[in-house]
Amino acid sequence: MPRRGSPHARCTVVGCRCEWIVVSKNRHQYCHEHMTEANALYNEYKAINAVALATFEDAALHQSIRLREEYARKFLDYEDTGAHWAYICILKRVHCSVADRRRALYNHLMSNNAYFSDFVSV
């Protein structure tokens, strides 16, 4: 793990200058503050997304989309966001569809997306 003085030791979150890296994930390096923030945001997203997929209600879908977008913007670089943005687009299409067709549309879109080849219908 890179340490102080290494050109690769800085937190990869835009604007952070911290040189003490706590964790490194998929080419991303996070200081303690940003690792904690990323984990909290992703855990919040997972909880809301579980509700959204159980109910397919407008408010839950909207909040799930918002949290996933925020996570991708803050903690991922452009190259790593393909699956994140693909999932966000699926949620947006489902959110804009007729309420009683949302589950079927979600299952269809997820089944036909290369990023989610191991998808199991909800």
PDB file of all heavy atoms in Angstrom, residues 6-7 14 20 25 28 32 36 38 41 61 66 82 86 103 117-118:
ATOM      1  N   SER A   6       5.048   8.861  -1.824  1.00  0.00           N
ATOM      2  CA  SER A   6       4.879   8.181  -3.104  1.00  0.00           C
ATOM      3  C   SER A   6       3.937   9.011  -3.974  1.00  0.00           C
ATOM      4  O   SER A   6       2.953   9.554  -3.487  1.00  0.00           O
ATOM      5  CB  SER A   6       4.277   6.797  -2.877  1.00  0.00           C
ATOM      6  OG  SER A   6       3.829   6.240  -4.091  1.00  0.00           O
ATOM      7  N   PRO A   7       4.213   9.120  -5.271  1.00  0.00           N
ATOM      8  CA  PRO A   7       3.312   9.898  -6.139  1.00  0.00           C
ATOM      9  C   PRO A   7       1.930   9.262  -6.267  1.00  0.00           C
ATOM     10  O   PRO A   7       0.986   9.884  -6.706  1.00  0.00           O
ATOM     11  CB  PRO A   7       4.032   9.916  -7.483  1.00  0.00           C
ATOM     12  CG  PRO A   7       4.956   8.754  -7.444  1.00  0.00           C
ATOM     13  CD  PRO A   7       5.340   8.552  -5.999  1.00  0.00           C
ATOM     14  N   VAL A  14     -11.718  13.319  -5.730  1.00  0.00           N
ATOM     15  CA  VAL A  14     -11.409  14.653  -6.260  1.00  0.00           C
ATOM     16  C   VAL A  14     -11.376  15.684  -5.136  1.00  0.00           C
ATOM     17  O   VAL A  14     -12.297  15.769  -4.334  1.00  0.00           O
ATOM     18  CB  VAL A  14     -12.445  15.068  -7.332  1.00  0.00           C
ATOM     19  CG1 VAL A  14     -12.204  16.484  -7.806  1.00  0.00           C
ATOM     20  CG2 VAL A  14     -12.417  14.093  -8.498  1.00  0.00           C
ATOM     21  N   TRP A  20      -2.381   9.635   3.537  1.00  0.00           N
ATOM     22  CA  TRP A  20      -2.407   8.394   4.311  1.00  0.00           C
ATOM     23  C   TRP A  20      -3.575   7.543   3.847  1.00  0.00           C
ATOM     24  O   TRP A  20      -4.725   7.789   4.161  1.00  0.00           O
ATOM     25  CB  TRP A  20      -2.488   8.702   5.805  1.00  0.00           C
ATOM     26  CG  TRP A  20      -1.240   9.357   6.262  1.00  0.00           C
ATOM     27  CD1 TRP A  20      -1.058  10.678   6.514  1.00  0.00           C
ATOM     28  CD2 TRP A  20       0.033   8.742   6.452  1.00  0.00           C
ATOM     29  NE1 TRP A  20       0.229  10.930   6.855  1.00  0.00           N
ATOM     30  CE2 TRP A  20       0.939   9.757   6.838  1.00  0.00           C
ATOM     31  CE3 TRP A  20       0.507   7.440   6.336  1.00  0.00           C
ATOM     32  CZ2 TRP A  20       2.273   9.509   7.107  1.00  0.00           C
ATOM     33  CZ3 TRP A  20       1.832   7.184   6.616  1.00  0.00           C
ATOM     34  CH2 TRP A  20       2.703   8.209   7.002  1.00  0.00           C
ATOM     35  N   LYS A  25      -9.115   0.008  -3.544  1.00  0.00           N
ATOM     36  CA  LYS A  25     -10.071  -0.881  -4.202  1.00  0.00           C
ATOM     37  C   LYS A  25     -10.100  -0.563  -5.689  1.00  0.00           C
ATOM     38  O   LYS A  25     -10.352   0.569  -6.071  1.00  0.00           O
ATOM     39  CB  LYS A  25     -11.486  -0.663  -3.653  1.00  0.00           C
ATOM     40  CG  LYS A  25     -11.686  -0.980  -2.219  1.00  0.00           C
ATOM     41  CD  LYS A  25     -13.138  -0.694  -1.852  1.00  0.00           C
ATOM     42  CE  LYS A  25     -13.388  -0.900  -0.393  1.00  0.00           C
ATOM     43  NZ  LYS A  25     -14.744  -0.549  -0.010  1.00  0.00           N
ATOM     44  N   HIS A  28      -8.652   2.516  -6.947  1.00  0.00           N
ATOM     45  CA  HIS A  28      -9.048   3.681  -6.156  1.00  0.00           C
ATOM     46  C   HIS A  28      -8.400   3.581  -4.790  1.00  0.00           C
ATOM     47  O   HIS A  28      -8.381   2.513  -4.189  1.00  0.00           O
ATOM     48  CB  HIS A  28     -10.569   3.732  -5.993  1.00  0.00           C
ATOM     49  CG  HIS A  28     -11.272   3.907  -7.282  1.00  0.00           C
ATOM     50  ND1 HIS A  28     -11.614   2.846  -8.070  1.00  0.00           N
ATOM     51  CD2 HIS A  28     -11.679   5.010  -7.936  1.00  0.00           C
ATOM     52  CE1 HIS A  28     -12.203   3.291  -9.163  1.00  0.00           C
ATOM     53  NE2 HIS A  28     -12.258   4.596  -9.105  1.00  0.00           N
ATOM     54  N   HIS A  32      -9.089   7.492   5.285  1.00  0.00           N
ATOM     55  CA  HIS A  32     -10.064   6.983   6.249  1.00  0.00           C
ATOM     56  C   HIS A  32     -11.409   7.704   6.117  1.00  0.00           C
ATOM     57  O   HIS A  32     -12.478   7.080   6.116  1.00  0.00           O
ATOM     58  CB  HIS A  32      -9.530   7.111   7.677  1.00  0.00           C
ATOM     59  CG  HIS A  32     -10.461   6.539   8.682  1.00  0.00           C
ATOM     60  ND1 HIS A  32     -11.427   7.287   9.301  1.00  0.00           N
ATOM     61  CD2 HIS A  32     -10.607   5.265   9.137  1.00  0.00           C
ATOM     62  CE1 HIS A  32     -12.123   6.513  10.104  1.00  0.00           C
ATOM     63  NE2 HIS A  32     -11.637   5.288  10.033  1.00  0.00           N
ATOM     64  N   THR A  36     -14.841   5.762   4.890  1.00  0.00           N
ATOM     65  CA  THR A  36     -16.011   5.727   5.768  1.00  0.00           C
ATOM     66  C   THR A  36     -17.227   6.322   5.061  1.00  0.00           C
ATOM     67  O   THR A  36     -18.330   5.757   5.115  1.00  0.00           O
ATOM     68  CB  THR A  36     -15.704   6.493   7.074  1.00  0.00           C
ATOM     69  OG1 THR A  36     -14.559   5.904   7.676  1.00  0.00           O
ATOM     70  CG2 THR A  36     -16.881   6.439   8.027  1.00  0.00           C
ATOM     71  N   ALA A  38     -17.738   6.608   1.758  1.00  0.00           N
ATOM     72  CA  ALA A  38     -18.141   5.742   0.642  1.00  0.00           C
ATOM     73  C   ALA A  38     -18.929   4.534   1.143  1.00  0.00           C
ATOM     74  O   ALA A  38     -19.973   4.188   0.575  1.00  0.00           O
ATOM     75  CB  ALA A  38     -16.914   5.289  -0.146  1.00  0.00           C
ATOM     76  N   LEU A  41     -22.440   5.686   2.354  1.00  0.00           N
ATOM     77  CA  LEU A  41     -23.311   6.034   1.232  1.00  0.00           C
ATOM     78  C   LEU A  41     -23.763   4.783   0.491  1.00  0.00           C
ATOM     79  O   LEU A  41     -24.942   4.641   0.154  1.00  0.00           O
ATOM     80  CB  LEU A  41     -22.593   7.003   0.288  1.00  0.00           C
ATOM     81  CG  LEU A  41     -23.389   7.510  -0.900  1.00  0.00           C
ATOM     82  CD1 LEU A  41     -24.640   8.260  -0.442  1.00  0.00           C
ATOM     83  CD2 LEU A  41     -22.509   8.426  -1.748  1.00  0.00           C
ATOM     84  N   LEU A  61     -37.656   4.369  -5.724  1.00  0.00           N
ATOM     85  CA  LEU A  61     -36.870   4.328  -6.958  1.00  0.00           C
ATOM     86  C   LEU A  61     -36.092   5.626  -7.155  1.00  0.00           C
ATOM     87  O   LEU A  61     -34.910   5.605  -7.496  1.00  0.00           O
ATOM     88  CB  LEU A  61     -37.776   4.079  -8.167  1.00  0.00           C
ATOM     89  CG  LEU A  61     -38.290   2.653  -8.334  1.00  0.00           C
ATOM     90  CD1 LEU A  61     -39.406   2.605  -9.359  1.00  0.00           C
ATOM     91  CD2 LEU A  61     -37.151   1.724  -8.724  1.00  0.00           C
ATOM     92  N   ARG A  66     -30.888   8.494  -7.044  1.00  0.00           N
ATOM     93  CA  ARG A  66     -30.117   9.637  -6.550  1.00  0.00           C
ATOM     94  C   ARG A  66     -28.871   9.184  -5.784  1.00  0.00           C
ATOM     95  O   ARG A  66     -27.774   9.688  -6.001  1.00  0.00           O
ATOM     96  CB  ARG A  66     -30.989  10.516  -5.656  1.00  0.00           C
ATOM     97  CG  ARG A  66     -30.289  11.773  -5.160  1.00  0.00           C
ATOM     98  CD  ARG A  66     -31.126  12.536  -4.153  1.00  0.00           C
ATOM     99  NE  ARG A  66     -31.466  11.775  -2.958  1.00  0.00           N
ATOM    100  CZ  ARG A  66     -30.610  11.525  -1.951  1.00  0.00           C
ATOM    101  NH1 ARG A  66     -29.382  11.949  -2.003  1.00  0.00           N
ATOM    102  NH2 ARG A  66     -31.006  10.837  -0.897  1.00  0.00           N
ATOM    103  N   GLY A  82     -19.257   2.058 -15.867  1.00  0.00           N
ATOM    104  CA  GLY A  82     -20.119   1.442 -16.874  1.00  0.00           C
ATOM    105  C   GLY A  82     -21.303   0.698 -16.281  1.00  0.00           C
ATOM    106  O   GLY A  82     -22.452   0.960 -16.616  1.00  0.00           O
ATOM    107  N   ALA A  86     -25.158   1.934 -16.228  1.00  0.00           N
ATOM    108  CA  ALA A  86     -26.122   1.035 -16.880  1.00  0.00           C
ATOM    109  C   ALA A  86     -27.274   0.727 -15.920  1.00  0.00           C
ATOM    110  O   ALA A  86     -28.446   0.742 -16.312  1.00  0.00           O
ATOM    111  CB  ALA A  86     -25.431  -0.253 -17.321  1.00  0.00           C
ATOM    112  N   ARG A 103     -42.018  -4.168 -12.428  1.00  0.00           N
ATOM    113  CA  ARG A 103     -41.266  -5.390 -12.095  1.00  0.00           C
ATOM    114  C   ARG A 103     -40.905  -6.158 -13.364  1.00  0.00           C
ATOM    115  O   ARG A 103     -39.767  -6.596 -13.545  1.00  0.00           O
ATOM    116  CB  ARG A 103     -42.052  -6.271 -11.138  1.00  0.00           C
ATOM    117  CG  ARG A 103     -41.288  -7.499 -10.662  1.00  0.00           C
ATOM    118  CD  ARG A 103     -42.070  -8.310  -9.644  1.00  0.00           C
ATOM    119  NE  ARG A 103     -42.515  -7.501  -8.522  1.00  0.00           N
ATOM    120  CZ  ARG A 103     -41.780  -7.220  -7.449  1.00  0.00           C
ATOM    121  NH1 ARG A 103     -40.552  -7.668  -7.371  1.00  0.00           N
ATOM    122  NH2 ARG A 103     -42.266  -6.491  -6.470  1.00  0.00           N
ATOM    123  N   SER A 117     -25.118 -10.330 -16.454  1.00  0.00           N
ATOM    124  CA  SER A 117     -25.375 -11.657 -17.019  1.00  0.00           C
ATOM    125  C   SER A 117     -25.775 -12.691 -15.962  1.00  0.00           C
ATOM    126  O   SER A 117     -26.415 -13.686 -16.290  1.00  0.00           O
ATOM    127  CB  SER A 117     -24.148 -12.144 -17.779  1.00  0.00           C
ATOM    128  OG  SER A 117     -23.026 -12.202 -16.920  1.00  0.00           O
ATOM    129  N   ASP A 118     -25.426 -12.438 -14.709  1.00  0.00           N
ATOM    130  CA  ASP A 118     -25.782 -13.395 -13.655  1.00  0.00           C
ATOM    131  C   ASP A 118     -27.051 -12.989 -12.899  1.00  0.00           C
ATOM    132  O   ASP A 118     -27.357 -13.507 -11.837  1.00  0.00           O
ATOM    133  CB  ASP A 118     -24.628 -13.546 -12.666  1.00  0.00           C
ATOM    134  CG  ASP A 118     -24.235 -12.236 -12.008  1.00  0.00           C
ATOM    135  OD1 ASP A 118     -24.680 -11.167 -12.480  1.00  0.00           O
ATOM    136  OD2 ASP A 118     -23.476 -12.266 -11.021  1.00  0.00           O
TER     137      ASP A 118
END
